RNA sequence: GCCCCCAUCGUCCAGCGGCCUAGGACGCCGGCCUUUCACGCCGGUAACACGGGUUCGAAUCCCGUUGGGGGUGCCA
């Protein structure tokens, strides 16, 4: 294939939808695989949406994912003159005409004529003059078929008959997206239009405009399967988690997100699903994309994210977790946070979390000045724990003589107390549970010894004494 | 209503006429490991929607049915 040129053309809605992100990714993968180019074009036919905030809401998530583009961002709203020119050309050639019927009038006529709802070509020969509030409609063929050759779906035929003469210029003079789409795709030299299946039905209109404008051969089309929720409905802002940025905030890694998104509608031939992006670029192609809708499965995303988190070197893990530990929402004094602590504990934390926002839950007991006891754990390990008081007392005494320079030695000391009491009392005594609850407040957590060393001698002894006094 | 799309384990993907008593992954279940919680490892569960064709042979091709979804705007 000779250097394709694709475009990602989102509407500015204030956030980037995961479905849009998938579309952007597939465009990007296709362009990169074939050594082509990608254009970013913001479909702001409504110019009011062209604010920095709305543009950032598209651009930043794309950058976060690691997707770049070779041209743009272009703005549809900046091409208004060119669109008007195309509309004039269509009107002059008779392919489009003016219409002054309002929504209410159209309804009235339908009712009066017993027709199904919609516009039925009434203004075609009324010779309406242009003016404020007047729209331009495209004259659709009354019969025949429009054929869309789709890379994912094969040949799709649409009868022209049910197509109404649709609006290509609104009453305020702005172009609608069908018109702008055809003109922009043509002018920008787009060779492949890759987008969601929800737009498949609009393709005949765009192609009809394309032909009427004398643009020649239409681009190749590829309509990607929709991303759906558990009920198999198209993901929607109202009922589903669709904002890509929310996933970032919840601690998903961009490389995991991109990897997962690539797998919705496509799979590598060798069945190795978790792999670096450059390998996906190499293996990806549009003709291998599956046409059926794909469920955006949070459980699977979690699995992939946890795999990426586990693979992070300690240094990097600490670095990437930092934003989740230093925010204003942190439940500890800022000066207690130490990036080196996370680096040291990285391995133990990594195997226990799915998202970066879970890091805090494993180490907050070290960072918080006070222990928050989980009463159930306290009761089980300390109140009902065998010889718990003796364990705490002995551990405190021996730890007081240690310098806390070695986690291994701390482990030997605590476990040794358990073994000795087991021997002297003749029953199995577990020393770890009461110590763990005394220090962390909970019954389960990271392997205790390294964190204990990090917590420090003074703090450790204080917490042990506090637990003893609480008994 | 009309138009369009889709249909392999619960989910995602493999299979593009014989290699399929249908493969991988997630999930789920069971076991091993483990003096916390996890990780890890091993094993198991589970699908070609249905009915007709075509063919020596169909999960794979065709038609229909059923089911699901999308579209039907002066949104994109």
């Amino acid at each position: 294939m000779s250097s394709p040129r694709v475009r990602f053309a989102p509407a500015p809605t204030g956030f980037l939808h995961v479905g849009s992100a998938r579309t952007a990714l597939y465009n990007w993968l296709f362009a990169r695989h074939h050594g082509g180019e990608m254009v970013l074009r913001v479909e702001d036919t409504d110019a009011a949406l062209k604010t920095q905030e709305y543009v950032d809401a598209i651009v930043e998530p794309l950058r976060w994912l690691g997707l770049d583009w070779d041209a743009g961002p272009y703005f549809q709203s900046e091409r208004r003159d060119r669109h008007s020119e195309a509309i004039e050309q269509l009107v002059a050639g008779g392919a489009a005409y003016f219409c002054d019927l309002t929504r209410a009038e159209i309804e009235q006529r339908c009712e009066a004529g017993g027709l199904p709802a919609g516009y039925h070509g009434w203004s075609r020969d009324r010779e309406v003059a242009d003016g404020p509030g007047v729209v331009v409609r495209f004259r659709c063929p009354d019969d025949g078929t429009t054929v869309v050759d789709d890379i994912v779906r094969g040949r799709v035929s649409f009868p022209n008959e049910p197509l109404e003469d649709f609006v290509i210029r609104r009453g305020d003079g702005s172009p609608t997206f069908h018109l702008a789409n055809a003109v922009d795709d043509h002018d920008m030299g787009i060779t492949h239009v890759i987008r969601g299946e929800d737009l498949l039905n609009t393709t005949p209109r765009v192609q009809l405009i394309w032909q009427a404008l004398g643009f020649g051969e239409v681009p190749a089309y590829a309509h990607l399967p929709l991303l759906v929720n558990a009920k198999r409905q198209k993901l929607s802002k109202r009922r589903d988690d669709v904002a890509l940025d929310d996933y970032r905030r919840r601690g998903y890694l961009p490389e995991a997100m991109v990897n997962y998104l690539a797998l919705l509608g496509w799979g590598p031939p060798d069945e190795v699903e978790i792999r670096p992006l450059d390998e996906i670029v190499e293996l990806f192609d549009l003709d291998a994309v599956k046409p059926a809708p794909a469920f955006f499965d949070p459980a699977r995303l979690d699995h992939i994210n946890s795999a990426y988190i586990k693979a992070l070197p300690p240094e990097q893990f600490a670095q990437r977790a930092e934003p989740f530990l230093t925010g204003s929402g942190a439940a500890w004094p800022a000066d207690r946070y130490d990036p080196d602590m996370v680096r040291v504990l990285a391995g133990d934390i990594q195997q226990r979390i799915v998202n970066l926002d879970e890091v805090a839950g494993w180490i907050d007991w070290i960072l918080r000045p006070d222990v928050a006891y989980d009463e159930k754990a306290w009761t089980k390990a300390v109140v009902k724990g065998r010889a718990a008081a003796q364990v705490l007392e002995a551990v405190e005494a021996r730890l007081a003589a240690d310098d806390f320079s070695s986690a291994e030695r701390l482990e030997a000391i605590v476990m040794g107390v358990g073994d000795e009491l087991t021997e002297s009392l003749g029953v199995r005594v577990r020393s770890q549970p009461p110590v763990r609850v005394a220090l962390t407040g909970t019954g389960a957590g990271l392997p205790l010894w390294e964190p204990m060393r990090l917590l420090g001698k003074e703090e450790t002894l204080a917490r042990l004494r506090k637990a003893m006094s609480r008994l």
Side-chain angles (χ1 to χ4, degrees):
Chain A
M1 182 170 322
S2 64
S3 196
R5 189 168 160 94
V6 302
R7 84 312 199 266
F8 173 55
T13 53
F15 68 99
L16 190 71
H17 190 289
V18 292
S20 301
R22 203 277 305 259
T23 299
L25 172 62
Y26 276 36
N27 270 282
W28 184 89
L29 287 172
F30 179 74
R32 291 291 170 265
H33 177 83
H34 290 286
E37 297 184 329
M38 180 161 99
V39 174
L40 176 60
R41 185 174 80 217
V42 179
E43 305 266 288
D44 59 339
T45 46
D46 180 356
L49 297 176
K50 193 191 169 239
T51 66
Q52 192 59 45
E53 191 190 344
Y54 275 82
V55 175
D56 285 349
I58 291 169
V59 165
E60 282 174 6
L62 287 178
R63 292 213 175 107
W64 177 69
L65 285 176
L67 306 184
D68 55 357
W69 48 94
D70 307 287
Y74 296 124
F75 295 89
Q76 209 166 80
S77 61
E78 286 175 351
R79 296 176 41 79
R80 181 75 170 264
D81 290 349
R82 168 78 252 255
H83 298 141
S84 299
E85 181 189 311
I87 292 165
E88 278 164 34
Q89 183 190 332
L90 291 171
V91 173
Y97 58 89
F98 298 114
C99 171
D100 59 358
L101 297 178
T102 62
R103 189 111 216 112
E105 286 170 324
I106 288 172
E107 262 174 53
Q108 253 172 37
R109 286 184 180 232
C110 285
E111 234 167 274
L115 294 161
Y119 170 81
H120 297 282
W122 294 295
S123 297
R124 279 187 170 186
D125 303 308
R126 285 175 55 231
E127 309 263 322
V128 176
D130 197 4
V134 171
V135 306
V136 175
R137 288 184 182 275
F138 185 84
R139 192 185 301 270
C140 291
D142 298 321
D143 47 31
T145 313
T146 299
V147 172
V148 176
D149 278 312
D150 192 284
I151 298 171
V152 175
R153 279 149 225 287
R155 174 161 292 198
V156 184
S157 298
F158 297 85
N160 291 327
E161 191 276 323
L163 257 191
E164 290 173 4
D165 289 353
F166 54 91
V167 171
I168 58 174
R169 191 200 72 184
R170 302 192 184 92
D172 65 1
S174 62
T176 61
F177 107 107
H178 303 287
L179 184 283
N181 234 248
V183 172
D184 293 347
D185 284 346
H186 169 265
D187 291 2
M188 294 175 188
I190 303 305
T191 61
H192 297 257
V193 175
I194 304 166
R195 21 120 89 147
E197 197 214 311
D198 50 343
L199 293 170
L200 178 58
N201 291 295
T202 73
T203 311
R205 297 178 217 211
V206 176
Q207 293 194 348
L208 252 14
I209 294 173
W210 188 281
Q211 283 162 13
L213 251 11
F215 284 165
E217 203 185 326
V218 296
Y221 280 85
H223 287 93
L224 309 176
L226 252 26
L227 260 34
V228 299
N229 61 23
K231 289 153 90 177
R232 310 219 59 91
Q233 300 160 312
K234 174 166 98 162
L235 287 185
S236 98
K237 182 182 178 176
R238 276 200 74 85
R239 56 187 177 230
D240 307 302
D241 288 333
V242 298
L244 191 70
D245 201 53
D246 288 344
Y247 288 90
R248 178 185 63 75
R249 270 197 285 268
R250 272 152 51 196
Y252 288 93
L253 265 28
E255 57 269 46
M257 191 50 133
V258 139
N259 196 149
Y260 177 57
L261 252 17
L263 262 15
L264 292 174
W266 175 84
D270 59 6
E271 301 196 328
V272 177
E273 300 183 314
I274 298 181
R275 68 198 315 160
L277 230 204
D278 56 344
E279 288 184 21
I280 294 177
V281 167
E282 197 170 318
L283 295 167
F284 180 86
D285 213 347
L286 275 181
D287 49 26
V289 171
K290 223 182 85 155
F295 170 45
F296 184 90
D297 187 355
R300 209 162 141 67
L301 206 213
D302 281 352
H303 170 254
I304 292 174
N305 203 55
S306 73
Y308 273 90
I309 283 180
K310 285 180 182 68
L312 250 24
E315 191 70 47
Q316 248 199 65
F317 173 72
Q319 199 179 319
R320 298 180 70 160
E322 187 160 297
F324 295 87
L325 296 167
T326 55
S328 54
W332 50 81
D335 62 346
R336 287 183 68 101
Y337 168 72
D338 172 13
D340 206 47
M341 183 185 94
V342 182
R343 188 181 57 73
V344 170
L345 300 178
D348 285 336
I349 301 171
Q350 283 167 285
Q351 61 177 286
R352 288 172 175 77
I353 62 171
V354 167
N355 297 315
L356 289 177
D357 68 353
E358 292 164 24
V359 175
W362 291 94
I363 59 172
D364 62 344
W365 62 271
I366 310 174
L367 297 165
R368 304 173 84 119
D370 290 305
V371 183
Y373 296 106
D374 169 48
E375 290 305 331
K376 269 180 81 175
W378 172 269
T379 303
K380 186 176 174 201
V382 184
V383 179
K384 294 184 177 170
R386 189 173 287 149
Q390 293 171 71
V391 167
L392 292 176
E393 200 172 323
V395 168
E396 195 270 346
R398 294 193 199 181
L399 251 23
D402 192 79
D403 68 357
F404 276 61
S405 63
S406 152
E408 289 72 31
R409 204 163 55 235
L410 296 176
E411 174 176 10
I413 289 171
V414 175
M415 298 311 267
V417 166
D419 291 342
E420 285 168 30
L421 284 171
T422 297
E423 181 96 0
S424 61
L425 298 179
V427 284
R428 181 65 183 278
V429 175
R430 292 167 179 259
S431 56
Q432 188 175 166
V435 172
R436 177 179 291 280
V437 174
L439 298 182
T440 74
T442 66
L446 258 27
L448 204 47
W449 326 116
E450 194 61 51
M452 189 189 285
R453 188 182 67 78
L454 259 11
L455 184 64
K457 182 171 180 174
E458 191 186 338
E459 187 79 29
T460 299
L461 296 180
R463 291 186 186 192
L464 288 170
R465 287 190 209 105
K466 185 182 171 195
M468 286 186 270
S469 70
R470 198 170 187 263
L471 260 173

